[in-house]
Amino acid sequence: MKYPEPISKLIDSYMTLPGIGRKTATRMAFFTLGMDKSQVQEFADNLMSAKTDLKSCKICGNITTDEICSICTDKNRDQTTILVVEQPKDIMSIDDMNSYNGLYHVLGGVLSPVDGVGPEDLNIKMLLNRLRDNSKVQELIIATNATPEGEATAQYLAKLVKPAGIKVTRLAHGLAIGSDIEYADEMTLKSAVLGRREI
């Protein structure tokens, strides 16, 4: 059946989301049609606000509404450790378990020559400048995903940072190979952080 153009476009829009196929997108589109106009407007406003009001923290790369995120401005956090993640969503996964109280750094991805992603495409230079300017940092914890690209990125960072005399550790492999941090349960994440190893 051919749907009217507005619903077809809405279905196509939902299908651009990761993991959403045509059937799910169609259900979501028809659910949206059943919402009150005010609910749809609020939904649209929230989408626009997330896109326009959020920016990257100038220190760590986390998402924030301010120039510097709340984690970087929190003086009660351990200033001697920085945990490096691929994306801001990984910070939320790790911080929610309340077992790590240090600082973070968001790379914005991982090295992937196949996809054309090199060191200059990630927030590596920002990290190195940060380590150079902050003499308090004693340990860099690399928490990239347990994928070939994540491992390669961890090894690359270790080679860059170790000569500066900073201890470099990697999350323990309580995380399954090929898994993403955001989908790990709390106990797996906790054991991974506590059982990190030097690389």
Side-chain angles (χ1 to χ4, degrees), residues 31-49:
F31 179 83
T32 304
L33 283 181
M35 293 167 64
D36 291 337
K37 191 172 182 179
S38 62
Q39 290 176 301
V40 174
Q41 186 60 57
E42 183 181 3
F43 186 70
D45 291 344
N46 290 339
L47 283 172
M48 286 306 297
S49 175

Side-chain angles (χ1 to χ4, degrees), residues 53-111:
D53 298 341
L54 291 173
K55 55 187 106 179
S56 293
C57 173
K58 288 190 171 185
I59 296 175
C60 73
N62 191 14
I63 52 173
T64 179
T65 54
D66 301 311
E67 295 296 312
I68 299 173
C69 75
S70 59
I71 293 175
C72 288
T73 57
D74 186 352
K75 299 301 178 195
N76 292 320
R77 295 191 78 100
D78 179 2
Q79 305 291 307
T80 66
T81 61
I82 295 177
L83 193 145
V84 179
V85 295
E86 293 180 22
Q87 302 294 342
K89 61 187 176 186
D90 300 328
I91 290 178
M92 295 169 194
S93 296
I94 292 172
D95 222 46
D96 282 349
M97 68 182 180
N98 296 318
S99 291
Y100 174 75
N101 191 42
L103 303 174
Y104 291 94
H105 189 84
V106 179
L107 290 175
V110 287
L111 296 173

Side-chain angles (χ1 to χ4, degrees), residues 101 121 140:
N101 191 42
D121 300 309
L140 189 74

Side-chain angles (χ1 to χ4, degrees), residues 109-177:
V110 287
L111 296 173
S112 179
V114 173
D115 297 318
V117 180
E120 66 284 349
D121 300 309
L122 304 176
N123 291 330
I124 293 174
K125 186 175 182 182
M126 189 164 81
L127 173 63
L128 297 176
N129 290 339
R130 190 175 174 195
L131 293 173
R132 185 192 67 228
D133 296 340
N134 185 354
S135 59
K136 293 180 184 175
V137 178
Q138 298 171 10
E139 181 182 5
L140 189 74
I141 306 166
I142 302 175
T144 51
N145 290 320
T147 61
E149 295 83 5
E151 289 296 325
T153 304
Q155 293 297 327
Y156 180 79
L157 289 175
K159 285 179 185 174
L160 290 178
V161 174
K162 276 183 137 181
I166 296 171
K167 181 179 180 181
V168 180
T169 58
R170 178 94 168 103
L171 286 188
H173 286 291
L175 296 170
I177 299 297

